Amino acid sequence: MSHSLSPKNKLKILHICESYFPDYGGGAAVTTRDVCHFLAENGHEVQVLCSGKYENQEPYSLITDFDQKIKVTRINLPYFRTADPDGFSLSKNGWNAHEKRISQILLNFFVQWKPDVVDYHATRPFGEECLITIKQNSIPLVSTLHEGWLICPRLMFLQSPLSEPCSGPAKLKCVECLYSYYDGSHTKAFLKMPWRIWKLGTYPFYRLQRRKEASTQVDAAIARSIFMEKIHQPHLKGKVKHIPLGLDLTNLPSEKPSRPRTPLRFGFIGGSQPSKGLLDILDSAVNLKKEGLVFQIKVWGNNQSDCEREIKARNLEDKVLLGGTYQSHQLWEVYNEMDVALMATLVSEPFGRVPIEAAAVGAI
């Protein structure tokens, strides 16, 4: 419920995130926008700093727009947005030069508007120096844990070389993970290790140490699931608190469609992001088609041209449809088109919204 704040209770809050509306950013971007609007509606002054991609603008230039009351400043980083979000393909010198640019942008930003608190949403292109610069300016720093960036260089707790779920960081384990590439066994990874060390040098190890330094800057963290709270707490000095996000049931339809329908309607909203498992879904659809089953799969999300190419490659044009991207106010319309919601994520999900949202409209 909304409440009014006295001037002394109003905060200047900066959210730093990888992408922000209307850019696609998955569930993390949707929930971040919801939180920003809630804070703004309750009297706080909210700004957003994020990365952007503008081919007609100079790299590192700033583009400013507004999301209602919320000022959004986007740093133009086309290379990081399209080719290498983590900067692991750069050299150590190249990464350091990039971080210096980001740090200077932050310092200039704080001269114009210095927040009372920063909520950091694991913005990979801003790097480790981003958190260090914030703390050097004596600004309290909270991190919302959408993924494992603070403690996992692989981001999603999928450990190399065995492709097994990771229980948390340890120095030797993380070094092996960074200098291998899901080779299938420790033996294969070990045999390739000398070549990879020769090729990559000390840069991955350097980034591992920098990540550890960056994680010590965080004063507290917000976890959207108990899993994220438990896996982070031993490795962060500040308190990690699980705050259930819940669902915004605004405009939830009172009537639900009769299910199941013919053909049986599957729905997938992960787009073509590799970690979301679209290819596994399409491969399963090939088998269902061979069995002669009557079904339909509709795919929503980003990079629809990539989805279309994969669908054609499997001769599934008669079974798999493209729904494009959708706005948050269209969420329930999308779920109402499904009898069965598909979730095929290949890595750890900090908070899987799909099953809960599907259940709200009666899909399974």
Side-chain angles (χ1 to χ4, degrees):
M1 185 171 67
S2 297
H3 59 279
S4 59
L5 295 173
S6 64
K8 67 178 182 179
N9 291 327
K10 292 181 180 180
L11 295 174
K12 295 164 69 176
I13 304 172
L14 175 63
H15 288 263
I16 298 181
C17 46
E18 191 156 327
S19 59
Y20 187 83
F21 175 84
D23 288 351
Y24 177 81
V30 171
T31 58
T32 298
R33 187 186 185 216
D34 290 344
V35 169
C36 288
H37 276 273
F38 177 83
L39 292 170
E41 289 165 4
N42 283 277
H44 300 290
E45 186 179 349
V46 180
Q47 290 198 32
V48 171
L49 182 65
C50 63
S51 63
K53 176 189 172 185
Y54 303 91
E55 299 294 350
N56 60 339
Q57 301 282 345
E58 286 293 318
Y60 300 97
S61 60
L62 304 183
I63 294 88
T64 300
D65 55 67
F66 283 84
D67 180 18
Q68 298 180 25
K69 297 179 180 178
I70 300 164
K71 183 179 179 180
V72 183
T73 302
R74 307 176 197 268
I75 305 176
N76 187 32
L77 299 173
Y79 167 77
F80 295 93
R81 286 296 297 268
T82 58
D84 184 19
D86 291 288
F88 276 120
S89 297
L90 298 175
S91 65
K92 180 180 175 181
N93 289 338
W95 179 249
N96 286 342
H98 165 69
E99 285 204 304
K100 286 180 181 179
R101 297 287 297 269
I102 295 297
S103 179
Q104 190 58 55
I105 289 171
L106 282 171
L107 291 172
N108 294 340
F109 187 94
F110 295 150
V111 169
Q112 302 296 323
W113 189 81
K114 188 172 182 178
D116 298 310
V117 63
V118 171
D119 190 346
Y120 182 80
H121 299 264
T123 309
R124 295 174 293 168
F126 289 4
E128 295 83 13
E129 185 65 30
C130 175
L131 285 80
I132 296 168
T133 300
I134 292 168
K135 289 303 293 179
Q136 286 175 342
N137 281 264
S138 302
I139 303 172
L141 177 59
V142 176
S143 181
T144 297
L145 305 174
H146 299 289
E147 61 266 304
W149 186 90
L150 282 173
I151 62 173
C152 176
R154 290 286 188 186
L155 195 66
M156 291 292 188
F157 303 112
L158 187 66
Q159 187 178 344
S160 178
L162 300 181
S163 300
E164 292 180 342
C166 182
S167 58
K171 183 173 288 187
L172 291 179
K173 182 170 67 173
C174 291
V175 168
E176 182 190 29
C177 188
L178 279 178
Y179 280 95
S180 61
Y181 197 77
Y182 302 106
D183 303 294
S185 73
H186 294 289
T187 300
K188 290 181 180 179
F190 179 77
L191 292 173
K192 294 180 180 180
M193 194 74 69
W195 176 80
R196 285 173 174 151
I197 292 175
W198 174 81
K199 180 181 180 182
L200 301 174
T202 61
Y203 179 53
F205 183 77
Y206 167 77
R207 290 294 301 279
L208 184 63
Q209 295 299 105
R210 289 281 288 169
R211 192 67 54 85
K212 186 175 181 180
E213 181 183 2
S215 68
T216 65
Q217 310 302 310
V218 176
D219 296 300
I222 299 168
R224 298 304 188 195
S225 66
I226 295 173
F227 162 73
M228 291 294 280
E229 178 185 46
K230 288 184 175 180
I231 200 169
H232 278 85
Q233 186 61 86
H235 307 286
L236 299 181
K237 67 175 183 179
K239 174 70 174 177
V240 181
K241 184 172 179 57
H242 170 222
I243 301 178
L245 188 62
L247 293 180
D248 181 0
L249 299 179
T250 303
N251 298 322
L252 179 70
S254 57
E255 296 185 8
K256 299 178 176 62
S258 178
R259 296 181 171 99
R261 290 165 282 199
T262 302
L264 184 66
R265 300 183 182 185
F266 294 95
F268 177 72
I269 62 174
S272 66
Q273 287 180 285
S275 64
K276 296 300 184 181
L278 173 64
L279 300 187
D280 288 343
I281 288 174
L282 296 181
D283 290 342
S284 297
V286 170
N287 292 330
L288 294 178
K289 184 176 179 179
K290 288 179 180 177
E291 294 290 329
L293 300 178
V294 180
F295 69 95
Q296 177 189 95
I297 300 175
K298 195 164 185 178
V299 177
W300 287 269
N302 66 326
N303 297 334
Q304 293 279 290
S305 59
D306 292 345
C307 299
E308 184 177 17
R309 183 174 61 252
E310 297 294 345
I311 291 166
K312 287 183 177 179
R314 291 164 176 79
N315 193 29
L316 289 171
E317 295 95 327
D318 61 327
K319 295 294 186 182
V320 183
L321 308 176
L322 296 176
T325 56
Y326 60 90
Q327 302 297 326
S328 57
H329 68 272
Q330 299 171 304
L331 179 70
W332 304 126
E333 298 174 24
V334 169
Y335 277 107
N336 264 339
E337 292 194 40
M338 308 178 191
D339 299 325
V340 180
L342 299 174
M343 185 173 174
T345 311
L346 304 177
V347 293
S348 298
E349 280 276 9
F351 178 75
R353 296 168 58 92
V354 171
I356 303 171
E357 290 173 341
V361 295
I364 61 171

